Amino acid sequence: AQSVTQLGSHVSVSEGALVLLRCNYSSSVPPYLFWYVQYPNQGLQLLLKYTSAATLVKGINGFEAEFKKSETSFHLTKPSAHMSDAAEYFCAEGRRALTFGSGTRLQVQP
Amino acid sequence: EPEVTQTPSHQVTQMGQEVILRCVPISNHLYFYWYRQILGQKVEFLVSFYNNEISEKSEIFDDQFSVERPDGSNFTLKIRSTKLEDSAMYFCASSDGTSGRQETQYFGPGTRLLVL
């Protein structure tokens, strides 16, 4: 069975600092990988997805993720955090039945 | 921008009662999904639906659950006899089913179900 692991249930950064949210997947075949964001009391919004066209994927709101097959990782980064980035971030894998990680809550300190 | 909508946003029910959660997927989408998120836990896949039938389901989706597309716009999840452990946020999603690796699931805002 597929599994997705997100290291760190909570990450706190200062405004303007680098954001790094970690995700590792288990699939042995080329995976379908996604990052979703959930703002308080809202649904899941797609940040970006890996389509195999490029290993560095750019998404919305300045986020990007790098697919590293050798590390089975798809970490999410943003060079400079903004207060509005505070939310819960989910990594997911799959074609139809998505398998989600447990989520990372990002706090941004002023 | 088209979006998935869900009603109600919150529902409280008594254990043993039937509930129907409603979703309106994006209009030209072909695949529909239900997921749930128990408080403090992962988002879990329940079922996918295509061409008026279930295409895949998880072991969570047992006989007390059913899905239906009663008309051209709605997609429903029915829980026949609710249990306390069914309390969760239920998300509906849809995808266009035509884009291969470009395919994306778009999620609704969720229905928070509380079973007392």
Side-chain angles (χ1 to χ4, degrees), chain A residues 24-99:
Chain A
N24 289 90
Y25 64 91
S26 68
S27 176
S28 59
V29 299
Y32 293 72
L33 293 166
F34 307 84
W35 275 99
Y36 284 87
V37 60
Q38 185 179 30
Y39 297 102
N41 301 315
Q42 294 188 28
L44 300 168
Q45 180 183 1
L46 181 72
L47 271 180
L48 51 80
K49 60 187 176 186
Y50 170 66
T51 63
S52 77
T55 56
L56 184 62
V57 181
K58 294 189 184 299
I60 62 171
N61 302 337
F63 283 93
E64 59 185 36
E66 186 172 8
F67 172 71
K68 289 187 177 180
K69 183 178 177 181
S70 60
E71 299 178 7
T72 60
S73 69
F74 191 56
H75 300 333
L76 182 71
T77 60
K78 181 174 180 177
S80 177
H82 191 272
M83 296 295 290
S84 61
D85 294 327
E88 186 139 23
Y89 292 79
F90 293 94
C91 183
E93 179 187 15
R95 174 77 191 279
R96 304 256 183 249
L98 295 182
T99 299

